[in-house]
Amino acid sequence: MDSQRDLGSWREMAEHWRTVVVLAGGVLVGAVNIYLAASLLPTAVEEIGGERLYAWTATAFLVAQVVATLSVARLLSVRGAIASYVIGFAVFVVGSLLCAASPAMVVLLIGRGIQGLGAGLLTGLGFALIHSALPRPLWVLGSAVISAMFGIGNFVGPALGGLFAQFGSWRAAFVVLAAVAALIAALVPRALPAGERRAAQPVPVASLLLMLVAAAGVSVAGILDNPVLMAAVLAAVVATFVAFVVSERRAHHRILPHATYQRRSPLLWVYLSIMLLASGVAVETFLPLFGQRLGGLVPVAAGFLGAALSFGWSASQILVSSARSQQLIRRLRVAGPLLMAGGFAVLGLLQIQDAPLPVVIAWLPILVLAGAGIGIAMPHLSVAAMTSVTDPDEGQKAAAAVAIVLTMSTALGAAIAGLLVNLGGASLPTSARYLLYGFAAIAAIGVLTALRVNKLTTASPPGVTNPPTDPRKHLPRNRKQQMSRT
């Protein structure tokens, strides 16, 4: 028998518009900033110099973002929701204004690091507070809106950055970003519950250090030109991740929820599925290049290829977030990576030198469909993470960990994409095929992890995918409570 999930409507969602604007807006400014900065930096370098430090602007941002995302649970426990969000927006505004005022590349690097701290806090808070700031029936819709902000940022950022760069106003772009963040921050006191403050949790030092080493390794791999050296660094990153898992399993205080490491919990498989899906976004970095050099498109038209993947991701999330049938939800989790793998594989077949215009035009709907593979699965995987534990604190940590996984998977995907393109050597069609076939294989692995998620969640009652580890904690205290439950 197919159970139905208790799901709110978009009309109910509109009643919480301030909360949605704050949660989604915080994620959006961070996502826009990544691609905005990439578009602006060439212009900034012409003015302030520092070309040798160019690649490190992304590294500074990424490492700082990971540090901040890992700190969300601790910040919430000490400061509560409102103060945490105000801190996140304030840090992001300070970093943006420092970037705008940078007289030299070193100062810009510092500003990018501060921006990364703010963006990491806002991204982590956005996912963590779905659990407490929105009613449970709105979790799926909230997850869909917030996750869609990554896709929207992927095509708004370059367009906005290109517009400001065109007029030589790269500093003004950072000022505008700071102003938008400040406006959203003004809604925070009326949009969020204050949240209960608790004693600060001990910092899981070993796990945190291993995650930082992995983040730094991914960043370094992404800027290397030698494929062998890049592969060696990525292998070291994988070894660091393994050490992280071992450390987390043995530790008393962890970054990820305890249920992640329980045998019958779907949480580990949920995170792996999210990582395998989200890493595929790295493909869009090279799509404008392929469009120009293989398809003969002008830069503006080639830019739409990069935006097509993100558009498919964002639009499909909104369309499927209203799914109520548990059977349909299970199918969407599997269909997502399957659609993405098929889209990349077909697109790989169409990568030829001097491709005819009809072939190039066919790339666009294929990319939209491949992006839709992320969108149809992502909100349901995010909610699966939140409902995989019964303890509210662990549920908040499970939700916040989605942001950690997304941040790391995007960075890891970028490094893998660089490696695959480099393997193609001087032949651009070969590089394009390696890239697309490689990520098709990665997405195909996601089919297997999604099937594992479905198997583990089907075994549990609807709405509770990971039964309590200690049933005695959930037994009624007396006969009266037992009768009231029945």
Side-chain angles (χ1 to χ4, degrees):
M1 185 174 179
D2 187 22
S3 59
Q4 300 288 321
R5 178 167 59 190
D6 183 17
L7 185 68
S9 66
W10 288 108
R11 179 175 295 181
E12 292 173 300
M13 193 74 163
E15 297 174 3
H16 300 269
W17 69 268
R18 291 187 182 88
T19 302
V20 175
V21 168
V22 169
L23 299 186
V27 174
L28 181 61
V29 294
V32 168
N33 176 68
I34 296 173
Y35 298 94
L36 177 79
S39 301
L40 294 173
L41 282 174
T43 306
V45 168
E46 290 180 6
E47 180 180 332
I48 63 177
E51 187 173 356
R52 289 186 303 172
L53 299 175
Y54 182 97
W56 291 100
T57 57
T59 302
F61 182 90
L62 172 65
V63 173
Q65 187 178 31
V66 172
V67 171
T69 306
L70 295 174
S71 307
V72 165
R74 179 178 175 85
L75 183 64
L76 278 172
S77 66
V78 176
R79 297 292 184 182
I82 292 177
S84 296
Y85 248 110
V86 170
I87 291 171
F89 276 116
V91 171
F92 185 82
V93 168
V94 169
S96 299
L97 293 177
L98 185 58
C99 288
S102 297
M105 182 58 77
V106 173
V107 180
L108 185 62
L109 277 176
I110 296 172
R112 289 287 288 156
I114 297 174
Q115 271 190 324
L117 290 174
L121 288 176
L122 295 174
T123 301
L125 288 168
F127 283 94
L129 290 178
I130 294 174
H131 195 268
S132 57
L134 292 174
R136 185 181 179 118
L138 297 179
W139 284 1
V140 179
L141 301 183
S143 296
V145 172
I146 292 173
S147 297
M149 294 302 105
F150 289 100
I152 293 173
N154 285 2
F155 59 81
V156 170
L160 195 60
L163 179 64
F164 279 99
Q166 182 71 32
F167 294 98
S169 303
W170 66 273
R171 297 181 188 273
F174 286 115
V175 173
V176 169
L177 202 60
V180 172
L183 287 174
I184 300 174
L187 292 174
V188 169
R190 299 183 62 184
L192 300 175
E196 180 183 354
R197 298 185 183 184
R198 299 177 298 276
Q201 301 175 359
V203 178
V205 177
S207 298
L208 183 61
L209 288 176
L210 287 169
M211 185 65 80
L212 290 179
V213 170
V218 168
S219 300
V220 171
I223 61 176
L224 293 174
D225 294 325
N226 187 317
V228 176
L229 187 57
M230 181 185 289
V233 173
L234 286 176
V237 169
V238 172
T240 305
F241 273 123
V242 172
F244 168 81
V245 172
V246 173
S247 174
E248 283 271 285
R249 287 176 64 92
R250 296 176 178 176
H252 183 66
H253 299 285
R254 305 174 179 85
I255 292 174
L256 300 179
H258 174 65
T260 307
Y261 309 102
Q262 291 178 336
R263 185 177 179 181
R264 297 298 300 171
S265 169
L267 202 49
L268 174 62
W269 302 100
V270 169
Y271 291 149
L272 285 174
S273 298
I274 291 174
M275 176 172 284
L276 292 167
L277 273 174
S279 64
V281 179
V283 167
E284 69 184 2
T285 304
F286 295 92
L287 293 175
L289 175 67
F290 300 156
Q292 291 181 53
R293 298 191 181 179
L294 298 181
L297 297 177
V298 297
V300 174
F304 282 107
L305 293 175
L309 198 69
S310 295
F311 175 78
W313 175 3
S314 303
S316 62
Q317 282 197 130
I318 304 302
L319 291 175
V320 305
S321 59
S322 299
R324 295 175 182 269
S325 165
Q326 291 291 347
Q327 182 178 5
L328 175 59
I329 289 167
R330 289 193 290 271
R331 288 174 178 172
L332 288 172
R333 290 178 190 148
V334 177
L338 189 62
L339 184 60
M340 191 175 182
F344 285 160
V346 171
L347 194 61
L349 294 173
L350 299 179
Q351 300 304 300
I352 55 177
Q353 190 67 52
D354 300 323
L357 185 59
V359 173
V360 177
I361 293 175
W363 294 359
L364 199 62
I366 294 172
L367 283 167
V368 172
L369 288 174
I374 305 175
I376 65 175
M378 190 68 73
H380 304 297
L381 288 169
S382 298
V383 172
M386 285 184 271
T387 56
S388 291
V389 291
T390 54
D391 180 79
D393 292 338
E394 286 289 285
Q396 189 176 77
K397 185 182 290 187
V402 173
I404 298 173
V405 173
L406 283 171
T407 300
M408 292 301 298
S409 60
T410 303
L412 185 60
I416 293 174
L419 174 62
L420 292 172
V421 169
N422 286 337
L423 288 176
S427 173
L428 192 59
T430 302
S431 295
R433 294 188 197 105
Y434 279 165
L435 176 69
L436 293 165
Y437 292 155
F439 277 98
I442 290 172
I445 298 173
V447 175
L448 302 179
T449 60
L451 287 170
R452 183 64 176 167
V453 170
N454 287 346
K455 181 178 180 180
L456 293 174
T457 55
T458 304
S460 301
V464 180
T465 55
N466 183 40
T469 55
D470 187 358
R472 294 173 298 177
K473 294 182 180 180
H474 301 271
L475 291 175
R477 296 178 182 177
N478 51 48
R479 179 72 176 174
K480 184 177 179 180
Q481 288 185 0
Q482 177 67 50
M483 293 176 66
S484 65
R485 292 187 181 186
T486 57

